[in-house]
Amino acid sequence: MTQINHHLSEELLIAYSAGTLPEAFNLVVATHISLCDTCRAALDAQDAVGGALLDESPDAVVGDDAYAKTLALIADQNTTPVQHPRISDGVLPSPLQEYVGGDIDAIRWKSAGLGVQQAILKTSKDAKVRLLRIPAGAAVPDHGHRGTELTLVLQGAFRDEADRFGRGDLEVANEDVEHMPVAEVGEDCICLAATDAPLKFNSLVPRLAQSFLRI
Amino acid sequence: MTASRTPPRGEWVQHLQKIRDHRDQAAFAEVFQHFAPRVKSFLMKSGASDTLAEEAMQEALAAVWQKAHLFDPSRASPATWIFTIARNRKIDALRKQNRPEPEDLPWGPEAEPDQTDVLALAQETRKLAQAMAELPQKQRELIEQAYYGDLSHSEIAAQTGLPLGTIKSRLRLALDRLRHRMK
C-alpha cells in the first residue's frame, strides 16, 4: 500500500456505513478504502456502530411463513456460483473497474478543453462522478463549490494552495474552498471526482464551458 | 417459532462458522430467530413499509446463508456483519441504487483469522455496545438519525461522542496481520 496522507472524513465514513450517500460518493469512498487500510479499519469500526444498533433494535413481528420463505429463497439461489474475490492489480481498484468496464486502458476519454480529458461514469442522478485526466504540469480551472466535491487521486499527483495529493489521497472540498489544483510535472494526473452540485467557475469562459462539460 | 435462549455474542460466531463449514440448518434456524425480527425492525425504522421490510429481511437472511464463507470474525462481529448485509439490501430495495463496495481483501486457506484478533474484536465490540448504551439521549438520537437515514452526509456531525479509537486500532492490527500473512 502507498503512503496516504488525506483520508475520509468522519462524516463520510458514517454516511457510507449508514448507506445514505449518493451512489457517486459511494464509488469514491469504496475506491479510496480499496487503497487505504486506515480508512478500511475506520469503516469496520463504524459498521460496528451499525451492528450495535441492529442488535438492540426491538423485535419486529415477522411473518409466520418468513423462515420457510427464506429457506425457499436459499434453495432458489443455490445454483449461484461462488464469486471470486475482487482484487485488482491494475491502476484502478476493483469497484472503479466495475464502472469503467476495465482498467485504465478501457476509459473512454473525451476532451474537456484546455488539454483536460474526462469520462463521466453512470450513477444515480443525485450526484455526479467522473474521471479526470490533467496533463502533467497543467492547471484545472479555478473553481469554487456549491455542494461537496470529493477528488481522489489514482495516478500522478496534484497540488493546490494548501497541500499535495498523490495516489490514494482524497480531497474533500466544501462551499468555503476555492482552489486551483495543478498537476505535478512528470506524469499526467488521473483523478476520480464526485460532486453533489455543479461547480461554479470564477471566470467567464469556464462558466460558458460548464454546460458543455456537464460538470 | 419457539423462543429460545440468546447465546452470548461469541456463540453467534460459531453458528456462522457451522453454517459456513457444514451448511448447518439448526444453527441457521437459531440465527434467523434472533436476527430476523431485528433486521426487519431496522429496515422499518429506515423507512420501509411492513411488506417491503419483510421481503428485504428474508433476502438479507438468505444472504447470511449464501455469504457465510465471507464472514471474518476478526473484522466484524456477527451483528456487524449482518448489519452490513441488511444495509446493502436497504440501499437496493429502498433507494434502488447500486452500492459500490471496497475491493476484497486477499484471502485463501492461510487467511483463517488469528484467534487473538477474533477474541479482541469481540471484547471491543462489547465495550462499544456498552458505551453506546451509556451515551446521553441526545447523542444517541443523532447516531440513530444518521443510521436510519434522517440526516444527509452534510448534516452529520463528526463528534458522535463514541470512543472508536481502540476498536479502530484493533481492526487495523488485524488488517496488517492479514496482509502480512498473504505476502
Side-chain angles (χ1 to χ4, degrees):
Chain A
M1 303 233 119
T2 43
Q3 177 63 43
I4 293 173
N5 297 313
H6 301 276
H7 298 276
L8 291 166
S9 64
E10 203 178 333
E11 291 90 336
L12 282 169
L13 279 167
I14 295 172
Y16 182 76
S17 171
T20 51
L21 283 178
E23 185 181 353
F25 281 26
N26 278 339
L27 179 59
V28 179
V29 171
T31 305
H32 174 79
I33 289 174
S34 301
L35 298 169
C36 178
D37 274 354
T38 303
C39 287
R40 194 186 281 267
L43 173 68
D44 288 346
Q46 200 58 57
D47 283 346
V49 175
L53 282 179
L54 174 75
D55 219 21
E56 290 164 24
S57 290
D59 287 4
V61 178
V62 304
D64 290 338
D65 55 356
Y67 185 59
K69 279 187 165 171
T70 304
L71 291 184
L73 279 177
I74 290 169
D76 279 353
Q77 293 162 3
N78 251 351
T79 48
T80 321
V82 175
Q83 283 186 347
H84 292 289
R86 303 147 57 240
I87 295 172
S88 151
D89 51 8
V91 176
L92 308 182
S94 307
L96 188 51
Q97 290 209 11
E98 284 153 16
Y99 278 76
V100 168
D103 199 20
I104 207 140
D105 302 332
I107 302 172
R108 296 217 293 264
W109 295 111
K110 287 188 175 152
S111 170
L114 305 168
V116 177
Q117 292 180 298
Q118 67 169 354
I120 295 171
L121 304 176
K122 200 170 180 288
T123 57
S124 61
K125 288 188 168 37
D126 43 2
K128 276 197 162 173
V129 65
R130 68 214 151 105
L131 284 153
L132 279 175
R133 181 177 198 128
I134 303 148
V140 175
D142 191 9
H143 61 274
H145 305 87
R146 270 194 282 270
T148 305
E149 185 188 37
L150 308 181
T151 307
L152 172 66
V153 178
L154 300 161
Q155 178 191 293
F158 73 79
R159 286 174 185 276
D160 65 10
E161 290 78 352
D163 249 317
R164 176 186 189 272
F165 296 81
R167 177 168 165 86
D169 280 327
L170 178 84
E171 187 195 48
V172 183
N174 294 313
E175 282 162 26
D176 46 348
V177 175
E178 286 204 6
H179 65 166
M180 186 155 76
V182 178
E184 275 189 1
V185 287
E187 193 175 18
D188 287 356
C189 179
I190 296 179
C191 314
L192 182 68
T195 47
D196 57 3
L199 304 183
K200 51 176 200 239
F201 285 99
N202 295 331
S203 63
L204 182 64
V205 174
R207 215 181 298 145
L208 290 174
Q210 192 167 14
S211 55
F212 166 71
L213 291 179
R214 301 204 284 141
I215 55 181
Chain B
M1 303 185 91
T2 53
S4 78
R5 82 222 151 78
T6 299
R9 273 158 219 269
E11 231 176 285
W12 291 123
V13 171
Q14 283 153 28
H15 277 67
L16 292 176
Q17 284 169 338
K18 281 183 195 163
I19 296 169
R20 178 191 68 188
D21 297 336
H22 310 297
R23 312 265 83 186
D24 185 326
Q25 284 222 15
F28 182 67
E30 286 185 33
V31 167
F32 186 93
Q33 196 174 331
H34 180 78
F35 284 103
R38 288 172 166 79
V39 167
K40 185 172 174 184
S41 136
F42 179 82
L43 291 166
M44 288 178 73
K45 281 192 188 173
S46 305
S49 68
D50 187 274
T51 319
L52 189 60
E54 176 80 25
E55 223 177 83
M57 173 275 285
Q58 291 169 12
E59 284 165 2
L61 270 294
V64 168
W65 175 277
Q66 299 286 357
K67 294 177 184 230
H69 63 286
L70 297 174
F71 171 63
D72 176 352
S74 73
R75 294 190 50 225
S77 74
T80 298
W81 184 64
I82 293 172
F83 157 74
T84 63
I85 292 176
R87 176 216 37 220
N88 291 2
R89 294 308 312 155
K90 172 182 95 172
I91 296 172
D92 193 66
L94 261 68
R95 300 179 59 204
K96 313 273 180 219
Q97 287 190 8
N98 182 35
R99 155 106 175 171
E101 287 283 325
E103 189 159 301
D104 294 324
L105 291 163
W107 63 284
E110 311 85 349
E112 190 66 32
D114 189 309
Q115 201 53 31
T116 324
D117 288 335
V118 175
L119 292 174
L121 180 67
Q123 191 182 15
E124 287 307 324
T125 307
R126 275 195 299 276
K127 280 193 202 155
L128 177 63
Q130 185 64 35
M132 280 177 68
E134 287 165 3
L135 276 184
Q137 185 62 22
K138 207 173 162 208
Q139 259 164 325
R140 165 84 193 193
E141 277 168 13
L142 274 175
I143 295 171
E144 289 185 359
Q145 281 172 354
Y147 271 84
Y148 297 133
D150 299 332
L151 298 177
S152 78
H153 64 92
S154 49
E155 292 166 330
I156 291 172
Q159 294 307 318
T160 54
L162 275 175
L164 291 180
T166 329
I167 192 165
K168 234 185 271 187
S169 324
R170 272 286 161 204
L171 288 159
R172 181 62 207 260
L173 220 57
L175 281 176
D176 286 347
R177 260 202 274 277
L178 174 70
R179 297 236 185 244
H180 187 73
R181 271 206 305 278
M182 296 306 293
K183 263 190 188 141

